Amino acid sequence: MMTPRERFNAVMDFKKPDKLPWAEWIWVEAILRWLGTDIDVSKLVRAKPGKPTYEYLVTVVKPLYIKDIDLHSYFGCIDIRGLCDPIDKGPIPRFPIRRLADTERYTEWRADTGVVVRLSKKSPYTWYTMPMYLEWPVKDRRSWEEYKKRLDPHDIRRYPKDWDKATYREMFKNYSEGPTRIIFNGFFGFGAQLMGLERFLTMFHKDPDFIHELACFWEFFTIEVFKPFLDACGEYVDSTWWWEDMAENHGPFISPGIFEEFFLPHYKNVAKFFRQKGVKHIMVDSDGNIEPLLDLLIEAGIDCIWPLEVSANMDAARIREKYGNKLALFGNLDKRKLRLGGETMKKEVDRGIAVAEEIRGYAPGCDHVIADFTYTTFKEYADYIKSKLSYGESKLNKTP
């Protein structure tokens, strides 16, 4: 019987798994809701050493994580993030955390990444929910030069105190519960999180040289920060988690021409570096409709995408028909239908399973994080999709 990691990698390699892998990302706010009313926490605490929990991107305020809680195994699914590298990619040193405002409805903070955020007091889990962003640390070249001082890729604090090549190499070699990954911001994600989306997009026209400068720097940073880790563990890294979020429901925030001019050369250089170091697959995570950019992403070296949002008119069957085995696909089950439960959920799961039975290189799952589900509706979905993961030999052997 295959391990979850072997199943996941079989899909990325367009090979035949013994059954389809089911992979999700259960959002921490959902976990807290369910723990409060529906789940015995003693059944979730890992009895064995867990995977590293280090994860810091550049300026985003990440909701706090709950260590040693394994809800994915509890429901019988793979954590789609898998085992991630232990590198800190955020600003070092961090900014001092300061409360800037406190009203009856919200508090405002300058976070340790430099952003200013507003947190609602309505949520019982304030620091575990996504905030409203009010201010970003980079506004112009001057503020960029100051911020850049905190992005030294060679700072020894970027690696954990327990960093030991042999230990982490064995960890990544032997991990079996899902894919092994390196996680980082892409070039669009980097700029948007530095300046905020509106300022970043207008900068392509107001100061294109600045955008080129940011992209050149981020290529340098990404390659340099990963070198020690990939020298030790590269051959055991299954895939990247290349975060971008460069689209909304109606299409990308930038045109293919802008992508080609500003980002494509850097994408190619970074993807080439990763493959030279042994990384097997290059996956991009972007919400929205990125279909107009797929030709360029494939040219850049990308060979896997997630989450394929249905509300953005992303369709796994259509993409497979056009691109064949150039792109492995994950997600594409409409979260809006899944969380309704009942026959609506079952029909959506059946649709995705039918696609997966016809083609290789696709595994169905929710087309975003598991957030606005009740425990009951998610458990119903979990039980139903798990009953559908084994499929027939004749359909499984069909080529892309």
Side-chain angles (χ1 to χ4, degrees):
M1 185 173 68
M2 285 181 156
T3 66
R5 181 180 185 178
E6 289 169 338
R7 293 188 188 110
F8 198 94
N9 287 335
V11 170
M12 289 199 286
D13 291 333
F14 290 83
K15 294 180 179 178
K16 172 185 174 180
D18 58 352
K19 65 178 182 179
L20 284 169
W22 173 43
E24 303 287 0
W25 181 350
I26 303 175
W27 196 242
V28 67
E29 190 175 3
I31 296 173
L32 286 167
R33 287 201 313 272
W34 300 344
L35 288 180
T37 56
D38 302 293
I39 300 176
D40 179 358
V41 70
S42 66
K43 296 180 179 180
L44 304 181
V45 178
R46 301 173 68 97
K48 55 186 176 180
K51 58 190 178 183
T53 57
Y54 316 97
E55 182 181 334
Y56 229 109
L57 304 181
V58 178
T59 64
V60 71
V61 174
K62 303 286 284 185
L64 300 176
Y65 288 90
I66 307 173
K67 291 185 178 182
D68 302 320
I69 295 292
D70 185 6
L71 204 62
H72 294 83
S73 295
Y74 177 85
F75 284 109
C77 65
I78 298 170
D79 182 346
I80 196 167
R81 296 163 297 172
L83 176 65
C84 294
D85 70 85
I87 305 168
D88 185 332
K89 298 105 186 173
I92 297 177
R94 296 286 192 265
F95 292 81
I97 299 176
R98 292 177 179 166
R99 184 166 60 184
L100 306 178
D102 190 345
T103 73
E104 292 183 359
R105 296 187 298 114
Y106 59 80
T107 57
E108 292 179 359
W109 300 80
R110 183 172 299 279
D112 59 355
T113 53
V115 295
V116 175
V117 298
R118 178 175 293 173
L119 297 170
S120 172
K121 289 185 176 180
K122 290 183 179 180
S123 171
Y125 317 112
T126 298
W127 280 101
Y128 290 86
T129 56
M130 291 296 285
M132 175 188 294
Y133 292 90
L134 302 177
E135 185 180 319
W136 304 85
V138 173
K139 301 173 178 61
D140 48 33
R141 286 178 177 270
R142 181 178 178 182
S143 53
W144 161 240
E145 289 300 325
E146 287 300 311
Y147 196 91
K148 188 166 64 172
K149 296 175 183 177
R150 301 173 186 261
L151 294 178
D152 176 2
H154 305 120
D155 192 308
I156 62 172
R157 291 170 289 181
R158 298 206 173 276
Y159 280 69
K161 292 180 180 179
D162 69 351
W163 169 245
D164 173 76
K165 291 183 179 181
T167 300
Y168 276 82
R169 181 179 174 86
E170 285 300 303
M171 185 188 303
F172 273 71
K173 177 182 178 181
N174 296 325
Y175 186 73
S176 63
E177 298 172 28
T180 58
R181 297 191 186 272
I182 52 175
I183 183 170
F184 59 98
N185 280 0
F187 297 97
F188 185 91
F190 173 62
Q193 289 192 343
L194 282 176
M195 291 186 270
L197 187 59
E198 182 177 350
R199 180 177 282 113
F200 180 55
L201 291 176
T202 58
M203 202 66 72
F204 281 92
H205 304 282
K206 290 184 175 180
D207 194 349
D209 289 341
F210 186 24
I211 301 298
H212 281 298
E213 180 182 330
L214 289 175
C216 286
F217 174 83
W218 197 238
E219 176 190 323
F220 160 76
F221 179 94
T222 302
I223 289 174
E224 291 299 312
V225 81
F226 277 115
K227 275 183 179 178
F229 177 78
L230 292 178
D231 284 342
C233 306
E235 66 178 301
Y236 299 117
V237 175
D238 300 326
S239 173
T240 67
W241 187 285
W242 189 319
W243 180 83
E244 287 288 22
D245 276 6
M246 53 186 166
E248 47 89 58
N249 281 1
H250 301 290
F253 292 117
I254 56 174
S255 70
I258 291 289
F259 182 94
E260 184 173 19
E261 177 184 352
F262 289 90
F263 298 147
L264 182 59
H266 306 290
Y267 258 78
K268 288 181 175 180
N269 291 340
V270 170
K272 180 181 178 181
F273 164 75
F274 287 151
R275 292 197 185 277
Q276 287 175 339
K277 293 295 185 180
V279 179
K280 297 171 186 64
H281 294 281
I282 313 294
M283 189 201 85
V284 160
D285 159 23
S286 179
D287 297 346
N289 189 328
I290 60 169
E291 199 161 351
L293 300 178
L294 291 183
D295 288 310
L296 291 169
L297 288 171
I298 291 169
E299 182 182 344
I302 306 306
D303 63 3
C304 180
I305 55 174
W306 177 87
L308 299 166
E309 285 191 285
V310 177
S311 62
N313 196 33
M314 296 292 284
D315 183 83
R318 184 179 68 242
I319 293 171
R320 175 50 35 76
E321 182 177 359
K322 181 175 181 180
Y323 293 105
N325 61 1
K326 294 179 180 178
L327 285 172
L329 308 171
F330 289 86
N332 206 225
L333 296 184
D334 192 337
K335 56 187 167 292
R336 301 167 300 178
K337 294 180 179 180
L338 297 181
R339 64 190 179 215
L340 290 176
E343 290 303 311
T344 301
M345 175 273 292
K346 291 178 181 179
K347 288 179 181 178
E348 181 63 9
V349 171
D350 290 345
R351 178 190 67 80
I353 293 293
V355 174
E357 287 182 336
E358 290 295 321
I359 60 175
R360 296 187 199 173
Y362 167 60
C366 185
D367 64 353
H368 205 263
V369 298
I370 302 298
D372 297 328
F373 285 70
T374 66
Y375 171 80
T376 301
T377 56
F378 185 71
K379 188 175 187 306
E380 182 188 18
Y381 161 56
D383 291 343
Y384 188 73
I385 194 171
K386 285 187 293 184
S387 74
K388 299 287 184 174
L389 297 178
S390 297
Y391 44 5
E393 288 288 327
S394 60
K395 289 185 177 181
L396 183 60
N397 286 326
K398 190 169 182 178
T399 54

